[in-house]
Amino acid sequence: MRRTGHVDVWKTATVVSATQLTPSGRSLVLDVPGWGGNLAGQHADVRLTAPDGYQAVRSYSIASADAGDRLEIAVDRVPDGEVSPFLVDAIEVGDQVEVRGPLGGWFVWRPEETEPVLLVGGGSGIVPLMAMVRAHEASGSTAPFRLVYSVRSPEDAFFAEELSAATGVEVTWIYTRRAPDGWPRPAGRLAAADLQALEAAGVEAPSVFACGPTGFVEAVADTLVTIGHDPARIKTERFGGA
């Protein structure tokens, strides 16, 4: 499946679907003639051009991993952001932006890989991991997959229904501010005990993909190394506001 070629060329993308995921998050499916697909975990640059010619470019992880000319991004609104409020609150089906990519060849998962995988996502950091979950399910991969998803509350979870229904992946939800009534784990930050519990459940020596805000990812990586994971098997991707 081709995933590169002319990645430095800006292409016109048309919004064909827009779905509100959370109060501050929105999924956009873009039709991009000539896109040609992407690997799970890659990202794309999105460029907006104002009527006066001013341009802004931001990079967004891709939630899809299809071979065609459509891709899905999911954007969380940053209150003081320049681009994300427009993508979450203003852009509509039929509107056009420009995209460049797919980009990145390190933080990716390929269906031919058979080793166990641990995905750790914080907030909108779930987006590239969602692409991996989808690619894993679509390919019928038998590679053991486990996802730990840390979010503030159930209402803040991206792709909640799809993740709950996904096959071939075990999902552990970590709520940091408010857990559902009767939830067995009190609300609180992801801790070493949470990750150690996965090892007790039989997740051994996995390849790790961790994505989220910088502080979250650094804490996860440090914790994993502390409890014995090989740093060489931990891949991270982090982001700031946009």
Side-chain angles (χ1 to χ4, degrees):
M1 185 182 293
R2 182 178 67 83
R3 292 295 182 271
T4 58
H6 306 294
V7 297
D8 57 339
V9 176
W10 289 101
K11 301 179 177 70
T12 300
T14 302
V15 179
V16 295
S17 176
T19 303
Q20 201 73 30
L21 298 174
T22 71
S24 63
R26 196 182 194 203
S27 160
L28 300 174
V29 177
L30 308 176
D31 183 67
V32 190
W35 176 255
N38 60 273
L39 290 169
Q42 288 188 298
H43 61 277
D45 287 341
V46 176
R47 182 166 71 184
L48 305 180
T49 302
D52 65 358
Y54 173 75
Q55 293 184 322
V57 178
R58 296 292 185 273
S59 182
Y60 291 102
S61 295
I62 303 171
S64 52
D66 299 323
D69 286 344
R70 290 192 174 185
L71 69 150
E72 179 182 5
I73 60 174
V75 182
D76 199 26
R77 183 194 310 111
V78 177
D80 297 328
E82 186 179 39
V83 173
S84 62
F86 175 77
L87 296 179
V88 173
D89 301 324
I91 197 168
E92 299 295 346
V93 171
D95 289 346
Q96 293 185 324
V97 297
E98 292 177 289
V99 300
R100 180 173 58 185
L103 304 169
W106 184 73
F107 192 86
V108 298
W109 180 80
R110 295 174 172 82
E112 59 267 30
E113 298 173 5
T114 59
E115 58 192 3
V117 172
L118 172 62
L119 310 173
V120 186
S124 60
I126 188 65
V127 177
L129 310 183
M130 191 69 222
M132 297 178 190
V133 170
R134 287 171 166 173
H136 179 266
E137 187 171 26
S139 66
S141 169
T142 58
F145 249 51
R146 180 178 286 269
L147 167 67
V148 179
Y149 188 10
S150 174
V151 290
R152 289 171 294 186
S153 72
E155 293 76 21
D156 293 303
F158 280 27
F159 308 109
E161 291 186 7
E162 185 175 349
L163 284 173
S164 296
T167 59
V169 58
E170 295 184 51
V171 182
T172 299
W173 297 89
I174 303 293
Y175 299 106
T176 60
R177 295 188 184 177
R178 185 180 63 77
D181 293 339
W183 196 253
R185 180 190 184 279
R189 291 185 178 182
L190 180 66
D194 297 308
L195 297 173
Q196 287 175 316
L198 300 180
E199 296 185 348
V203 179
E204 299 179 358
S207 293
V208 180
F209 296 87
C211 183
T214 296
F216 171 84
V217 170
E218 290 180 349
V220 167
D222 290 346
T223 300
L224 288 171
V225 172
T226 299
I227 65 176
H229 284 255
D230 181 356
R233 294 172 66 82
I234 301 173
K235 296 182 179 180
T236 63
E237 186 162 280
R238 60 200 73 191
F239 53 78

